[in-house]
Each structure stands twice: as structure tokens, then as C-alpha cells.
Amino acid sequence: MNIEHPENDKQYAGLTVNSGVAQPPVVNPYMKPRRKKPLPTAGEMVEGILKGDITMLSRAVTLVESLNPSHRSLAQEVIEKCLPHSGNSRRIGITGVPGAGKSTSIDVFGLHVLKRGGKLAVLAIDPSSERTKGSILGDKTRMEKLSVHPDAFIRPSPSAGSLGGVARKTRETIVLCEAAGFNNIFVETVGVGQSETAVHSMVDFFLLIQLAGTGDELQGIKRGIMEMADGIVINKADGENIERARLAMAQFKSALHLFPTPESGWYPEVLTYSGYYELGIAEVWDMIDRYFEHVEKNGYFEHKRRNQARYWMYETIDENLRSHFYNNPEIAEMLANKEARVLANVQSSFTAARDVLNRYYSLMGDNFKAED
Ligand code: GDP
């Protein structure tokens, strides 16, 4: 039963493409649907989280990530109740380009931290994960030792939505993890693009993982990222790479001299290490300990956390206002229309914006007029 298909052409002798058979139903029609476990109440979740129940913590994080409005409001209730029990942790952001050795390093840094006792949560912010269908960060298979450690909780990046939305979910997850007794939080992100700013706004210490390259390491690193870093560590300082790593360290150190004194009064340190061969790990962690001592003593730790809390309040307001505006169907239609007029040069960008805003205000029943 030959069908019409390019590969049924004579030139592909020996190959025949047949028409397929109808797919049988995959689901057994006689099977009773399994009842979904009912959602615990906010009180039950909080109780579980405060006891350090990981299953409850995971369920709450899933609610935080959910797009279902009723899940989200339940999540908010849980977060509010956990908030007084949060804050007691060291939040460390870890960034580096793909291949810099983030997961290898997090695995060994994590074990190093856990040797002192306590618990560690590894979270990730990866705004691209929705596009790539599957996060490349916070992937358990990439952190072999931590993923089987009883005191580690690894959670890949929330995948839905804008960077702001993804970052906010991670910020909320930090609160839940801390309430569950996690006193070390790592937030991993890829060192490209905007996500570092988001991570920087939720951590106490920002660690930049670099590689020694061809001698011009500093090229291609955005100044802004270097300015955010509290520590720069050059990975893969092993074997033949040791000399190059040292050279890179010297270059970073001299580049950092050009930056103004950070508000924290802490001068970022530069170190070399090898995540794979586990060399220099304790030194990296000693640096981080020194940082915490420094900022706890001079009050910057508290100051930064308060600023971050304020930042997240305004971020959340901004996000909400934007989505309320852009998701309004009438506004969306008007925007398309106005955009066409602006592109065709029949209306100026400014009056087009003013018209849309005024329409929005009147839809909201407000007499407010946009400024010209
Ligand atoms: P990520 O993409 O930043 O998470 O990087 P990975 O941790 O997946 O590491 C990328 C590659 O670099 C892997 O093949 C690792 O085995 C290798 N790698 C990581 N750390 C080191 C190191 O300290 N030394 C050497 N030689 N290779 C390393």
C-alpha cells in the first residue's frame, strides 16, 4: 500500500513508506481515574515546613510556581506565615558562563558547607528554561553527590514566565526553605544577560566563577557583573592550567582596583581553585566566611537585606501593574492599532502612548490624565 511520499520515489529503491495505523488509545478506558491527593491547608503546610518536612516543602514550592490563581493565593498565605521564621541563612549567588564549572563546584562547595552541619538548598534562576524546555540549572543529575545528600534540597529553575516572575518565585522559595531550617541557600544562574541582577537582589554574597582563557579574560565580561561580585574565583586551576589561572587572577585583581569602594566596605577577593580536583575549596569558603564576618559587624548585612525586601515590594508592584495593563484585551487591541500608526509615521510615539494610557485610566474609572 504505497502512499504518496517523497521517499517513495524510484530513486530510493528498497525503501517504502507505508501509511501508518491509527494510534490505539493510550489510556485504558476502563481504568478508574486516580484521585488526586487533596491539597493540604495553609496551616498544615506551614506546620510541616516548620518541622522540616521536605515533602511538604516541595509541595509548597510547587504551589509557588503554579500559574493557577487559587494555588498562588494559598502559596501567598503559606509564605506570609513562614516569613517570621525565615531570614536565618547565608544566601549565596553563584554565576558563571555555561561550562565554567558551576554544577561541579556547587557539588563540592555544598559538601564542604554541609560538613559543618546545617542544611543546604540549591535553587536556580534560568529565564531561558521555558524556551529550552527543561532547565539546565539546578539539575540534580549534574550535582551527583549533593543530590543524594539527606540535608540538601535541590530545585531547578521555575520555568514559566518572565525573568521578573521567575526570580520572584525563587525569592519566595528562599523564604520557604529558610522556614524549613535551611541555613545555606545557593542560587545558581548563568552568567549571561539579565539574570545576575535578579540574583544579586536576593543574595548576601555574589560569587562569580571565571575561567582562565587566552590572556584577555576581561573581555566579554560585563563590567556590571564584575561590579556586583563579592568574590571572583577562577576555576579549573589544575594541571597545565595552573599558570594561566594565576595570570587571570592577577588581571582580575588589577581590574578590580579601578572600581570604586563598594558600599559594603568589602573589597572583592580573587582566588583560584579546582572544583573537579577539589583544590582550594576551603580557601574559597574562608573568603566567604570573612565576608560574612565583615558585613555582620559593620551592619551592611542587615542594611542590604532590608533594601532587598523593599526592592521586591516595588518589583512586585511593577510586575503586577504591567501585566494588568498589557493583559487588558481592549488595551491590547488599541496597542496593536497605535503601534501600526506609529510605524507608519502617522502618529508620534508620545501621543500614541498618551492615548493608550488615557484609555486605560478611563477603563479603570479614573479621571487621571497622562502627561503630555
Ligand atoms: P556548568 O555548565 O557551569 O555547570 O559547568 P559544569 O560543572 O557542567 O562543568 C563543565 C565541564 O568542565 C565539565 O566537563 C566538568 O567536568 C569540567 N570541569 C568542571 N570543573 C573543573 C575543574 O576544576 N577542572 C577541570 N579540569 N575541569 C572541570
Side-chain angles (χ1 to χ4, degrees):
M1 158 191 61
N2 274 5
I3 54 161
E4 206 173 299
H5 187 277
E7 287 180 17
N8 283 345
D9 193 281
K10 273 197 214 81
Q11 60 172 312
Y12 301 114
L15 254 185
T16 359
V17 178
N18 295 326
S19 68
V21 288
Q23 177 81 17
V26 215
V27 180
N28 176 351
Y30 303 106
M31 199 171 73
K32 275 199 190 143
R34 245 201 316 163
R35 279 238 225 105
K36 266 204 194 159
K37 257 206 247 164
L39 273 180
T41 64
E44 285 165 347
M45 275 202 211
V46 176
E47 198 187 321
I49 290 171
L50 294 182
K51 272 196 269 175
D53 177 342
I54 297 298
T55 316
M56 220 40 126
L57 174 64
S58 303
R59 292 190 80 177
V61 174
T62 306
L63 286 186
V64 163
E65 293 172 355
S66 170
L67 297 176
N68 177 330
S70 71
H71 289 175
R72 287 217 43 85
S73 65
L74 183 57
Q76 287 312 322
E77 204 181 329
V78 175
I79 293 165
E80 285 293 314
K81 292 199 164 103
C82 283
L83 205 58
H85 307 277
S86 70
N88 186 23
S89 79
R90 288 181 166 189
R91 305 171 184 163
I92 296 170
I94 299 177
T95 192
V97 293
K102 289 181 297 301
S103 33
T104 314
S105 307
I106 290 174
D107 212 26
V108 289
F109 288 153
L111 289 183
H112 183 83
V113 165
L114 286 173
K115 260 193 249 149
R116 310 184 194 177
K119 298 202 282 182
L120 166 70
V122 180
L123 312 175
I125 292 187
D126 180 6
S128 66
S129 62
E130 191 178 31
R131 249 178 296 136
T132 51
K133 294 289 171 218
S135 171
I136 52 159
L137 297 180
D139 179 353
K140 288 184 190 169
T141 57
R142 292 164 69 242
M143 297 168 200
E144 281 173 23
K145 296 183 198 115
L146 271 189
S147 60
V148 293
H149 198 292
D151 297 321
F153 175 73
I154 304 178
R155 188 85 189 185
S157 176
S159 61
S162 60
L163 170 61
V166 169
R168 195 182 108 196
K169 289 169 188 168
T170 304
R171 174 80 165 84
E172 292 172 341
T173 301
I174 292 179
V175 171
L176 300 179
C177 291
E178 288 176 349
F182 286 84
N183 58 343
N184 294 283
I185 313 277
F186 288 179
V187 185
E188 180 190 8
T189 192
V190 180
V192 285
Q194 287 293 305
S195 45
E196 297 85 0
T197 319
V199 175
H200 187 246
S201 64
M202 64 179 83
V203 297
D204 308 311
F205 184 95
F206 196 64
L207 186 70
L208 172 60
I209 300 183
Q210 284 293 324
L211 291 176
T214 48
D216 49 8
E217 287 72 28
L218 298 181
Q219 285 182 15
I221 301 173
K222 282 189 235 91
R223 190 191 151 94
I225 298 183
M226 264 184 81
E227 250 167 315
M228 275 190 258
D230 300 299
I232 298 177
V233 285
I234 295 142
N235 189 18
K236 309 196 187 180
D238 46 54
E240 289 174 359
N241 216 12
I242 293 183
E243 259 324 298
R244 283 199 293 163
R246 284 209 189 112
L247 186 68
M249 176 167 76
Q251 288 182 331
F252 276 109
K253 279 187 177 168
S254 61
L256 283 171
H257 278 309
L258 304 174
F259 289 0
T261 313
E263 201 191 343
S264 56
W266 164 265
Y267 290 92
E269 292 186 16
V270 188
L271 295 170
T272 63
Y273 78 106
S274 166
Y276 190 82
Y277 294 99
E278 303 187 19
L279 305 168
I281 307 300
E283 285 76 3
V284 172
W285 232 254
D286 287 348
M287 162 178 73
I288 295 178
D289 285 342
R290 279 199 302 282
Y291 171 85
F292 277 96
E293 255 170 54
H294 177 89
V295 295
E296 275 161 14
K297 214 151 99 200
N298 72 5
Y300 183 76
F301 179 85
E302 267 308 312
H303 169 77
K304 188 173 180 182
R305 284 219 170 161
R306 276 201 303 271
N307 275 345
Q308 289 174 335
R310 183 175 49 199
Y311 170 88
W312 282 100
M313 181 180 98
Y314 286 108
E315 267 297 296
T316 310
I317 293 175
D318 286 355
E319 272 276 313
N320 266 276
L321 287 176
R322 287 172 67 89
S323 72
H324 190 253
F325 176 78
Y326 286 107
N327 292 337
N328 182 303
E330 195 168 319
I331 293 298
E333 198 185 317
M334 190 173 176
L335 273 174
N337 185 303
K338 287 289 179 186
E339 190 183 305
R341 287 171 60 82
V342 168
L343 290 176
N345 224 5
V346 286
Q347 188 174 12
S348 85
S349 319
F350 312 105
T351 59
R354 184 203 56 201
D355 292 351
V356 181
L357 285 169
N358 282 338
R359 179 80 196 116
Y360 179 71
Y361 297 137
S362 72
L363 280 173
M364 294 303 113
D366 194 328
N367 291 328
F368 182 76
K369 287 276 172 276
E371 284 170 28
D372 263 323

